[in-house]
Every structure is written in C-alpha cells, then in structure tokens.
C-alpha cells in the first residue's frame, strides 16, 4: 500500500548454460543443454509433494497432482526416476485420504470441531504510521545530508586548488593571449608584431617555465582571474603565478617614445642629457607574466618605431638635415623650432633612482600619433586591398590597381607613387601643431588688444591631424546686425589659407605677423563698411569710399581707407579715414556755413554751397561707446542742428 | 586630361622625317613651348588564326602618356570594334594567346619630342612602320577641356597657327559623331589607329593624300 508507485523489476535467468569448468586460459566450458525429457524429470524431482503449504502453493500442487494422476493410470515403471514419483504420489494420496476423512468427521460435528484460531490482527494505528514514515524520512535525509557534505567538501577542495596557481591553467590563459609553441621540452612564445604586419627584424621570443615550488606557502588569499583583466587585478592580488616568463634582456624593462618640441638651441642639450639618464620606476621583478609580456612587447614596439624613424631620418633629404644622435632624432620643424623624438628605455637592472625628466613639456598627442602611424603601417601590411586579381602583384594600392584599366595618365601615377614616411608625417603634424598654436595665439592676442570691433573666433571641433579651420568674425558691439565681417582661416601644414568675406583667397606663410596684418586690415575695412551701413540707416548718403586710399603718408602696411558721407539734405559732410594701424580721423564740413563774411575772393554767399574746408573732430573726446556709436551720434547731432 | 586631336603633316619628297620634326620644333619653341621629354605610341597588330572563322584583327597600343595601361581594339571583321583598356598584364596574356592570335610582325611606332605650352601639350612624332619613317603626325592636347565640341575651334586655330594650311576647317572624321561626348584616353588611341590604317594601306594612297592636303 505504501509502495503503490514502486517500479516493477523483472528478473531473468541468464540465457547461458551452467559453466562446467573454467580452464586456466579463461575459457569456459559449458554443460550441454538439457533435453526436454531431462528437463521434465529434473523439474519433477524438485516437487516435494509431502510439503503442503497453506495458501499459494496449493493450486500448483493440485495441478501437478492432476498431471501426475494422468500419468498414473499407465503405471509403467519405465525408469528409476518414476519410482520416487510414484512413492511421493502415494504418500500424497494417503494424505489426501486422511484429509478427506478428517473433513468428513468434522462435517458431522460430533467428534471433531474446527475452531478458528484467534490470530492477532495487524492493528493499523495512524500515529504509528506517522512515526514510521518520520523515521524513514529521517534516515533518508541523513543519507542525503551525508552526500551533500561529501559534495561540499569536494567542492571546497576544488576551490582551494583553483586559488593555488595551477601551471596548466595559467598556461591555458597564457595561450589564449599569446602565441606559444613547444620546442622539444621548452615552451617558446613570440611577442613580436610579425603576425600583425610588422617587418622588424628583432625577434620577440620568450620562454615559459614552471615556477619553482616556493609558492605553496601563500595560497588561497584572493581570487584572481588574470585572463579577464590582469593589469587591473594585479595591483590587488598578490598570489604568485605558477608560470615564469623569461624575456630576453634587451626587451626587459620599460620603454617609451618621447616627443619634445624645443624652441631654442640650448634646451636640446639639456633634454638629451635628461633623456639618456632617464628611467622610470623600475618594474617589479616578480610582476605578473601578463604585465611582463605587455611591457616587453611595448619595448619591442618602441624599438621598431624608433628604428624606422631613424632609418627615415638618415634617408630623407631635408633642407636642414635631420640628426640622429644616440637614441634621439632631431628634426627642424620651423626655423628655430626643433622636434626631438627620443627612445627611453630602462632595463630592470638599471639604477632605480634616476631623475625623471619633467613630463610636462613633452607632447602626448604627437607620441600617440607616432604609435598610430606605425600601427597603420602594420595594418596596411596585412590588409591588402580587395578585390585583388590573383595574377596581379601584391602591394599596390586600390587606386593603383585600377589605374591601368582607367587609363590614368603620368601625372596621376606620379601622385600615387608619392608616399610619406613616418618621419615626414610626424613632422607635418608637428608643423601643423605649431601653426595652430600660432594662429590661436595671434587671434587671441588681437582679440585682447583690439576692443572696438569685437573679434570672435570659432574653431572647428573636428579636424584632421594636418588641417584645422577657424572662423574669425569681426563685429561692433551694438551694431552686429548691421555690419559683420567674417574670415575663414584654414590652418595647413606650413601655410595659412585665408578666405575673406568677398571671396578672396590669400595664402599666408608660417610667420604669425602676416596673419596679424591681415586681421588688422580686415578690422579697418570693417570700420569703413560699418560707417557706410550706419549711414544708410541714418539716411545719410555715401558720396565716395575707397578702401585703398592713395593719399596721405605712406603706411607701414596696406593702405588707408576712407569714405565721404553727406547728410540727408546735403549741407553737412563727414569724412572718415581709417589707417591700418588703427588710427581713425574724422572731419566734418558745413556747406553753406551758417555765418558768411564776404571777403575779397568770395563775395557772394552762393559760393559757399560748393563745400567748405573740413574741420577735424577731436575723436577721443567724442561721446559714444565705440567707433560706430560715435559716428552715429555725430550724424545725429549734425542732422539735429540743421 | 583634356581633348586630343591628331593632325598629319605632309612629308616632302626631299626632306627626311627628322628634318621636318626639327623644323616644327623650331616653330613650336618660337611660340614659347618647352620641351618635356619625348613620347612613344606603339601599335602591334595580331590576326586570329583561320580556324576561328572570320578573321579578326587585334590592335594593341601602348601610350607613354598612360604608362600603366594597354589599349586593345578588336576588329571582328564585320566592321564592329571592341575597345578594351587593361593593365600592363594584358601583354602577358597575349603571349598566352599566341596560339589563337598571331602577331603580324608589323610594329608601328610613333615617337618624337613632347612640348608643353601653358594649357596645351604638343607632340610631334614620326610614324615608323618596320623602322621606316612613313609620315609625321602632330598631336595637340588642350588640357582644361574634356568636350571636343567646346574646344575644337581653339585647337584648330592653334594648330593652324604653327602647321599652316594643312589643318582643315572641318572637324576630323573621327569626331563627327562625338562632338559633345566626354573625351577619353581611348579616343586618342582610336585616332591613332585611324591614321595608322591610312598609312598602312598603301604608300600610293598616302602620296595622293599628301598631295591633296597640301
């Protein structure tokens, strides 16, 4: 009842015969299979007819006895085995006779009575059942708990094993990030960039060995996973690694490329002194292999970069030749400005307490672009442009590949063949950097110096390493709707391209004075244009204007510009002259004058209409916030007084 | 790249090709042109083997102006031509096809000095067929323009300026249907082919041509 859902189990005998003998060579000798009659006799011998069971075996016995009784009538003792059967059957027959007699006697109920034996009924108490189940459950739970305990302990054991460095797991992680191969008994790795497209000769071989077993004592402190972010984790975890990585001595230590821009000659020697002796903090000798390999790879990269630059510096035919001295290259960017590229390398066994060079004056951006340039070269080496004809030569650019079918002419092909070396590119970037700096400086100082028209500059936030763009707007405060002048300056590598408002394009050299002069010219042109537009709004008439006045003293740069304005009725004149240096002179004339005194030459008043002499206005005493405002007020006062 | 036209210059009986080139060079330099190297256009002709049926002719050109390219014009015998502009590898391909297209062993070379005069490029070349000078050809290119119809008048005037009356007032036959098309390097080659065919046909015709034009 409690096991109603139990599984039925069927048990079968083996199909084989009984093994009679096993020989020494393991061969089993079976008994021959019994024949049908043998089997029957064997089964019959097994029957014990004397044994009378109470319940379940009775029908079987009856059946058997029936079978036997069928056999009985012939009653022929054919063989020996039938005798025992006969005797057993006889015994059974007598017993059955006795039983039938007893039953007959008891039927009459005179001499014999059958009474039921008071057997103990199985009491099914619910409480007992509950206890029983409880007990069964308890025993089952103890079994499960013990299994859980065992599992937990094994898990703990496993966890403890994980934190202690396992050589093979570490090796697996190393293998995920670095190239390794097995050479006889040693494991050799390669950290060079050759597979990434580098053609640098120096090899980046390193050897992986098993660390000695002095690491067993400290184990299980922290859980580190070097494969995910080793450089980040290593500062926290102190668990020593089971791997030991040996890099060649020339790749040990820390190295970096340093780019400096120097203005005057004296500094060069200082920096060279510093560069030679500079060494950053010596790396920890027992640092993690990942960091160690990364540092070594960086050393290799810096060496390749410097090697490439030095080679180019020697080959390039510059007007001022580039110098390669020791581990530094110096190239002239602009007259008086040097670009110094140095390779700093400190080996682990170097002296740890050297003075660091001041890190403020080196150029992070150029250093970064140097790295980027070499990576680009690597990338280009491995990524040939597609589609690529299988019969064509490897290497030419995509444009060169289609040059033939597109019938490119000589000039185009020449353009394609021009390549810039890394050094040229970095010099160009440095030149542009200086140009940008100078332009910025010129515009900013001008904006600071010149207050009257306001100079606003907008730098494009997106620019290329060798080109930037700035828009300079000149406006007068309060008159920005009436007159505004703008100028776009493209900052190139060695020159400036200025596009003025009227569409004129001017190319300026790297000298900052040129830009300064140009902006000054723009300023006074702005003033004259402003005067004219203010005059228009006031109803004054512009009689004449010239942006390049041929009169007056010779200006140090450009020409003065002037304009002549007449009041709405034409009786007043204003003359404005702007000089590029910022001087403004304003004169006014009345015609006719209010008071007329006849003279010997001018006898009649009508001649006064021809216009009189100009009187200079003391401009600095004029009311007004700025030049245009003063002009506006002057016009207003002249118009009013009529 | 601009518009290029070709113009034949008549050969005089008593003057060699080198003489005429020298004579024209003097005129050009007098105009203010500068010599910028030399030029070379060569043409090799291949014929298909008879087993292919109708005989096809393949003209393969190289032009020093487009040094990376090989021009091929296939004349399939029925008046239809197929032009191809290809890489320099085309020459190697022809070597492989030598069983189908056999060379006629008549190489035409046009070589001579190359001049630049502001926007114009002038080339004076002698046509060599199997190393015999057969004629003088003048190539003039006007670089800022790519449509023949827009600059023909100027080119004509320019050519007449130093070649004289041998330049006719009507546009060259090749451009009759292409007046407003955009000029391509292949057009230069087609003109060369036209001129070479004229020279090849017969020297008798050539002389007739010369006498007509002069």
């Amino acid at each position: 009842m409690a096991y109603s859902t139990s599984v039925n189990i069927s048990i079968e005998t083996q199909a084989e015969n009984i093994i009679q003998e096993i020989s020494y060579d393991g061969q089993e000798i079976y008994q021959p299979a019994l024949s049908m009659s043998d089997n029957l006799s064997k089964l019959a011998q097994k029957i014990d007819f004397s044994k009378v069971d109470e319940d379940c075996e009775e029908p079987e016995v009856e059946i058997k006895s029936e079978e036997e009784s069928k056999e009985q009538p012939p009653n022929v003792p054919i063989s020996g085995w039938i005798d025992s059967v006969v005797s057993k059957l006889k015994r059974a027959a007598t017993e059955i006779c006795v039983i039938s007699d007893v039953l007959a006697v008891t039927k009459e109920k005179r001499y014999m009575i059958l009474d039921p034996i008071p057997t103990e009924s199985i009491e099914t108490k619910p409480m007992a059942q509950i206890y029983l189940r409880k007990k069964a459950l308890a025993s089952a739970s103890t079994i499960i708990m013990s299994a859980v305990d065992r599992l937990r302990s094994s898990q703990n054991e496993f966890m403890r094993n994980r934190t202690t460095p396992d050589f093979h797991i570490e090796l697996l992680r190393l293998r995920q990030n670095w190239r390794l191969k097995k050479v006889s008994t040693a494991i050799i790795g390669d950290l060079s960039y050759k597979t990434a497209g580098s053609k640098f000769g120096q090899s980046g071989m390193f050897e992986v060995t098993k660390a000695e077993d002095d690491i067993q004592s400290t184990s299980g402190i922290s859980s580190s996973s070097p494969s995910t972010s080793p450089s980040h984790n290593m500062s926290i975890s102190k668990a020593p690694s089971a791997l030991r990585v040996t890099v060649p001595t020339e790749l040990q230590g820390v190295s970096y490329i340093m780019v400096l821009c120097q203005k005057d000659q004296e500094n060069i020697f200082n920096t060279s002194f510093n560069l030679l002796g500079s060494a950053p903090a010596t790396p920890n000798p027992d640092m993690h292999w990942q960091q160690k390999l990364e540092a070594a790879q960086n050393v290799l990269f810096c060496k390749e970069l410097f090697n490439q630059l030095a080679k180019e510096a020697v080959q390039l035919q510059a007007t001022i030749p580039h110098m390669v001295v020791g581990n530094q290259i110096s190239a002239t960017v602009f007259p008086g400005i040097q670009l110094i590229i140095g390779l700093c390398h400190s080996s682990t066994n170097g002296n740890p307490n050297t003075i660091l060079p001041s890190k403020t004056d080196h150029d992070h951006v150029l250093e970064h672009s140097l790295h980027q340039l070499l990576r680009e070269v690597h990338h280009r080496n491995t990524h040939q442009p597609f589609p690529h004809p299988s019969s064509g030569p490897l290497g030419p650019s995509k444009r060169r590949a289609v040059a033939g079918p597109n019938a490119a002419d000589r000039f185009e092909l020449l353009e394609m063949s021009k390549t810039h070396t890394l050094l040229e590119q970095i010099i160009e970037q440095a030149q542009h950097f200086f140009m940008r700096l100078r332009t910025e400086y010129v515009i900013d100082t001008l904006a600071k110096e010149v207050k009257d028209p306001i100079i606003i500059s907008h730098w494009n936030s997106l620019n290329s390493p060798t080109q930037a763009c700035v828009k300079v707007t000149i406006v007068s405060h309060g008159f920005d709707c009436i007159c505004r002048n703008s100028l776009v300056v493209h900052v190139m590598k060695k020159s400036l391209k200025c596009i003025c408002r009227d569409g004129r394009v001017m190319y300026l050299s790297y000298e900052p004075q040129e830009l300064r002069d140009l902006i000054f010219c723009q300023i006074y042109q702005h003033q004259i244009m402003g005067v004219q537009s203010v005059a228009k709004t006031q109803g004054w008439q512009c009689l004449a204007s010239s942006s390049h006045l041929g009169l007056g003293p010779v200006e140090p740069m450009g020409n003065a510009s002037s304009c002549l304005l007449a009041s709405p009725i034409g009786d007043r004149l204003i003359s404005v002259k702007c000089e590029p240096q910022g001087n403004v002179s304003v004169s006014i004339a009345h015609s006719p004058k209010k008071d007329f005194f006849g003279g010997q030459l001018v006898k009649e008043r009508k001649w006064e209409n021809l216009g009189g002499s100009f009187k200079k206005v003391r401009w600095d005493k004029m009311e007004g916030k700025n030049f245009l405002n003063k002009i506006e007020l002057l016009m207003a006062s002249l118009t009013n007084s009529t | 790249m601009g518009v290029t036209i070709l113009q034949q210059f008549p050969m005089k009986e008593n003057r060699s090709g080198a003489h005429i080139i020298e004579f024209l060079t003097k005129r050009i330099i007098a105009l203010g042109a500068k010599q910028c190297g030399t030029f070379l256009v060569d043409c090799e002709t291949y014929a298909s083997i008879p087993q292919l049926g109708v005989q096809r002719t393949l003209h393969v050109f190289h032009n020093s102006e487009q040094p990376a390219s090989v021009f091929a014009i296939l004349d399939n015998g029925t008046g239809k031509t197929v032009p191809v502009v290809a890489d320099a590898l085309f020459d190697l391909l022809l070597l492989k096809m030598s069983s189908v297209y056999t060379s006629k062993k008549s190489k035409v070379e046009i070589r001579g000095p190359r001049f630049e005069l502001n926007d114009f490029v002038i080339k004076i070349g002698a046509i060599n067929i199997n190393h015999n000078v057969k004629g003088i050809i003048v190539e003039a290119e006007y670089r800022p323009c790519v449509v023949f119809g827009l600059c023909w008048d100027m080119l004509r005037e320019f050519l007449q300026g130093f070649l004289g009356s041998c330049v006719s007032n009507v546009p060259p036959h090749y451009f009759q249907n292409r007046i407003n098309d955009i000029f391509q390097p292949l057009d230069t080659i087609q003109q060369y082919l036209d001129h070479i065919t004229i020279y090849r046909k017969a020297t008798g015709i050539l002389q007739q041509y010369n006498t007509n034009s002069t």
Side-chain angles (χ1 to χ4, degrees):
Chain A
M1 48 181 182
Y3 306 104
S4 60
T5 57
S6 60
V7 180
N8 292 323
I9 298 170
S10 58
I11 298 168
E12 293 172 18
T13 55
Q14 277 180 319
E16 292 165 9
N17 293 319
I18 296 163
I19 297 165
Q20 188 182 16
E21 187 187 348
I22 300 174
S23 59
Y24 289 119
D25 58 349
Q27 204 181 356
E28 292 166 348
I29 298 162
Y30 300 104
Q31 276 183 347
L34 291 172
S35 68
M36 286 297 278
S37 59
D38 287 349
N39 210 13
L40 177 65
S41 64
K42 197 182 162 194
L43 286 173
Q45 270 176 348
K46 277 183 183 170
I47 301 167
D48 188 3
F49 294 98
S50 61
K51 201 179 188 180
V52 180
D53 284 328
E54 302 90 62
D55 41 356
C56 61
E57 280 185 23
E58 204 151 30
E60 203 181 353
V61 172
E62 274 175 33
I63 292 161
K64 294 282 178 188
S65 59
E66 267 174 48
E67 281 175 13
E68 297 309 315
S69 60
K70 274 180 195 166
E71 276 181 33
Q72 223 173 0
N75 207 3
V76 196
I78 300 158
S79 58
W81 63 270
I82 205 84
D83 297 338
S84 66
V85 174
V86 168
S87 64
K88 276 176 186 169
L89 283 175
K90 274 179 182 167
R91 249 185 285 154
T94 44
E95 277 180 25
I96 284 169
C97 291
V98 169
I99 285 172
S100 68
D101 288 346
V102 168
L103 285 173
V105 170
T106 49
K107 247 184 179 175
E108 288 173 19
K109 294 184 180 178
R110 252 189 281 173
Y111 309 104
M112 214 179 208
I113 297 168
L114 287 176
D115 272 343
I117 305 157
T119 52
E120 266 186 74
S121 64
I122 313 147
E123 72 259 64
T124 51
K125 289 175 185 170
M127 279 313 289
Q129 245 178 13
I130 284 171
Y131 279 126
L132 201 70
R133 283 184 194 176
K134 213 175 169 184
K135 203 182 166 191
L137 281 174
S139 66
S141 74
T142 50
I143 291 167
I144 290 169
M145 285 307 284
S146 70
V148 164
D149 279 346
R150 218 181 298 158
L151 273 176
R152 194 179 287 150
S153 64
S154 72
Q155 179 77 10
N156 283 344
E157 186 81 0
F158 179 66
M159 289 293 282
R160 221 177 302 127
N161 283 344
R162 254 170 72 109
T163 51
T164 57
D166 183 5
F167 176 72
H168 291 98
I169 287 174
E170 293 267 311
L171 193 63
L172 180 74
R173 286 186 185 136
L174 185 72
R175 183 81 178 74
Q176 283 166 350
N177 293 327
W178 303 90
R179 286 189 303 131
L180 296 177
K181 64 179 172 186
K182 199 166 178 221
V183 179
S184 66
T185 55
I187 302 169
I188 302 290
D190 186 10
L191 49 79
S192 70
Y193 280 98
K194 274 181 189 135
T195 47
S198 163
K199 286 172 181 167
F200 190 47
Q202 189 170 347
S203 77
M205 294 292 175
F206 64 92
E207 195 183 351
V208 182
T209 48
K210 201 167 180 173
E212 298 313 312
D213 34 14
D214 54 327
I215 44 162
Q216 305 298 7
S217 54
T218 55
S219 62
I221 298 166
S222 64
S223 60
S224 68
S225 55
S227 64
T228 50
S229 59
S231 51
H232 178 72
N233 266 359
M234 275 320 287
S235 51
I236 317 153
S237 71
K238 297 286 181 209
S241 158
L243 276 184
R244 187 158 292 168
V245 168
T246 318
V247 294
T249 45
E250 65 265 23
L251 294 183
Q252 274 171 7
V254 172
S255 102
Y256 55 94
I257 294 279
M258 192 172 198
V259 178
L260 289 166
C261 295
Q262 294 294 334
K263 268 217 172 111
D264 33 8
Q265 208 70 20
E266 295 148 33
N267 277 353
I268 294 170
F269 301 108
N270 293 342
T271 51
S272 71
F273 177 73
N274 272 349
L275 277 176
L276 288 168
S278 73
T282 40
N284 198 2
D286 47 61
M287 70 204 291
H288 192 259
W289 47 262
Q290 177 75 21
Q291 276 181 310
K292 207 169 171 181
L293 290 179
E294 276 171 7
Q297 200 170 33
N298 186 44
V299 171
L300 192 69
F301 188 80
C302 288
K303 279 194 171 183
E304 182 183 354
L305 185 54
F306 190 79
N307 200 318
Q308 179 71 25
L309 288 173
K311 218 187 291 170
E312 287 167 6
V314 174
Q315 280 170 358
L316 276 182
Q317 301 290 323
T319 44
I320 302 169
H322 310 303
M323 287 194 299
V324 184
V325 181
N327 59 351
Q328 75 174 48
I329 303 166
S330 62
T332 309
V333 176
F334 285 123
I337 294 176
Q338 298 268 329
L339 176 77
I340 297 164
I341 301 167
L343 172 70
C344 305
H345 184 207
S346 75
S347 54
T348 38
N349 45 13
N351 41 352
N353 48 359
T354 42
I355 313 125
L356 285 168
S358 54
K359 288 233 168 184
T360 49
D361 53 352
H362 73 121
D363 200 316
H364 302 275
V365 178
L366 289 180
E367 282 164 17
H368 178 76
S369 4
L370 264 181
H371 282 252
Q372 219 172 12
L373 287 172
L374 186 59
R375 301 247 184 225
E376 265 172 34
V377 170
H378 286 176
H379 186 265
R380 236 178 293 132
N381 284 344
T382 45
H383 293 75
Q384 296 295 338
F386 284 100
H388 179 259
S390 58
S391 56
L394 266 175
S397 67
K398 205 171 185 173
R399 282 180 63 217
R400 179 64 188 79
V402 296
N406 285 353
D409 59 16
R410 284 201 290 198
F411 179 73
E412 282 174 64
L413 286 169
L414 267 177
E415 280 293 301
M416 282 176 208
S417 65
K418 274 181 198 162
T419 49
H420 284 269
T421 57
L422 291 186
L423 189 64
E424 278 176 312
Q425 290 181 57
I426 203 71
I427 288 174
E428 277 172 3
Q429 290 191 13
Q431 281 171 339
H432 173 72
F433 169 74
F434 274 104
M435 286 303 292
R436 212 172 53 221
L437 216 64
R438 282 178 176 180
T439 313
E440 243 172 59
Y441 178 77
V442 166
I443 294 172
D444 288 354
T445 45
L446 265 179
K448 231 186 286 172
E449 273 174 34
V450 180
K451 288 284 179 338
D452 185 355
I454 301 161
I455 298 173
I456 306 161
S457 59
H458 293 287
W459 285 89
N460 271 7
S461 55
L462 294 176
N463 49 23
S464 84
T466 54
Q467 197 170 3
C469 181
V470 59
K471 185 177 180 184
V472 181
T473 313
I474 304 168
V475 289
S476 293
H477 181 70
F479 294 87
D480 36 5
C481 292
I482 296 172
C483 185
R484 73 168 47 225
N485 239 322
S486 55
L487 170 78
V488 176
V489 181
H490 290 278
V491 184
M492 321 280 244
K493 288 167 241 170
K494 272 181 153 176
S495 61
L496 293 176
K497 181 183 174 189
C498 301
I499 304 164
C500 301
R501 201 176 86 145
D502 50 2
R504 270 183 304 168
V505 180
M506 270 169 279
Y507 290 93
L508 310 180
S509 79
Y510 54 82
E511 289 295 338
Q513 188 63 38
E514 292 181 19
L515 180 65
R516 200 182 152 84
D517 292 353
L518 179 74
I519 294 178
F520 264 123
C521 288
Q522 293 289 315
I523 287 171
Y524 79 80
Q525 274 180 10
H526 166 82
Q527 299 289 45
I528 287 295
M529 304 233 314
V531 167
Q532 288 175 34
S533 27
V534 167
K536 220 176 278 170
T537 59
Q538 299 287 320
W540 282 57
Q541 212 181 344
C542 179
L543 295 180
S545 82
S546 165
S547 53
H548 297 288
L549 202 61
L551 294 169
V554 178
E555 299 288 338
M557 60 165 191
N559 290 315
S561 55
S562 73
C563 79
L564 192 64
L565 306 168
S567 66
I569 9 173
D571 59 339
R572 306 292 161 88
L573 294 175
I574 299 178
S575 144
V576 184
K577 184 185 175 199
C578 277
E579 287 162 12
Q581 298 298 30
N583 303 325
V584 182
S585 63
V586 180
S587 310
I588 54 169
H590 292 226
S591 64
K593 283 179 189 165
K594 276 176 211 155
D595 43 351
F596 176 73
F597 305 103
Q600 277 193 322
L601 277 170
V602 185
K603 285 180 176 155
E604 286 176 60
R605 198 185 169 101
K606 66 176 181 187
W607 298 113
E608 286 294 321
N609 286 326
L610 287 174
S613 58
F614 279 90
K615 283 184 281 185
K616 194 168 177 179
V617 180
R618 288 175 68 187
W619 198 243
D620 48 334
K621 300 279 190 227
M622 235 348 252
E623 289 279 330
K625 278 186 286 184
N626 55 20
F627 175 73
L628 287 187
N629 197 10
K630 283 177 181 181
I631 287 281
E632 195 181 14
L633 289 176
L634 182 68
M635 284 173 182
S637 68
L638 288 178
T639 320
N640 269 343
S641 58
T642 48
Chain B
M1 196 198 76
V3 176
T4 306
I5 59 168
L6 294 188
Q7 176 65 46
Q8 278 172 341
F9 191 73
M11 285 279 275
K12 300 275 164 45
E13 290 296 323
N14 49 356
R15 293 169 80 177
S16 71
H19 264 108
I20 298 172
I21 288 179
E22 207 175 304
F23 166 70
L24 287 176
T25 302
K26 269 182 197 159
R27 280 192 186 177
I28 294 258
I29 286 176
L31 283 175
K34 283 186 193 131
Q35 186 169 351
C36 302
T38 56
F39 85 103
L40 168 70
V41 175
D42 63 50
C43 166
E44 193 141 1
T45 307
Y46 297 84
S48 63
I49 51 167
Q51 286 89 330
L52 282 180
V54 186
Q55 193 182 40
R56 298 180 178 90
T57 323
L58 180 70
H59 305 279
V60 179
F61 280 87
H62 296 91
N63 190 350
S64 60
E65 203 69 12
Q66 284 96 25
S69 311
V70 176
F71 302 88
I73 296 169
L74 178 71
D75 191 345
N76 64 359
T78 56
K80 202 184 160 199
T81 57
V82 183
V84 167
V85 188
D87 235 320
L89 290 171
F90 191 78
D91 287 333
L92 302 176
L93 189 67
L94 275 177
L95 290 179
K96 299 254 176 200
M97 285 165 56
S98 57
S99 58
V100 184
Y101 282 102
T102 50
S103 173
K104 275 188 166 177
K105 306 281 181 210
S106 68
K107 191 160 182 162
V108 182
E109 279 188 346
I110 298 146
R111 60 166 82 233
R114 177 180 184 274
F115 301 92
E116 282 184 14
L117 175 60
N118 295 332
D119 286 341
F120 291 96
V121 177
I122 307 109
K123 298 169 185 170
I124 304 168
I127 300 189
N128 293 288
I129 301 181
N130 295 330
H131 307 291
N132 297 319
V133 178
K134 297 283 181 186
I136 298 293
I137 206 156
V138 178
E139 180 191 319
E141 181 184 357
Y142 180 63
R143 284 187 292 188
C145 184
V146 288
V147 179
F148 172 79
L150 300 179
C151 61
W152 154 242
D153 288 325
M154 184 162 58
L155 271 168
R156 177 177 55 83
E157 214 173 301
F158 175 71
L159 282 173
Q160 280 173 347
F162 70 93
L163 294 181
S165 57
C166 69
V167 184
S168 82
N169 282 332
V170 285
H173 175 71
Y174 177 77
F175 286 106
Q176 306 260 305
N177 301 321
R178 298 178 175 83
I179 284 181
N180 290 319
D181 289 358
I182 288 181
F183 194 87
Q184 282 169 343
L186 197 65
D187 293 329
T188 313
I189 298 299
Q190 295 266 23
Q191 290 184 69
Y192 270 112
L193 179 63
D194 290 353
H195 283 274
I196 287 169
T197 341
I198 292 169
Y199 276 109
R200 263 194 189 149
K201 274 191 177 151
T203 38
I205 300 168
L206 175 69
Q207 269 152 7
Q208 198 183 7
Y209 176 86
N210 277 346
T211 47
N212 283 349
S213 56
T214 43

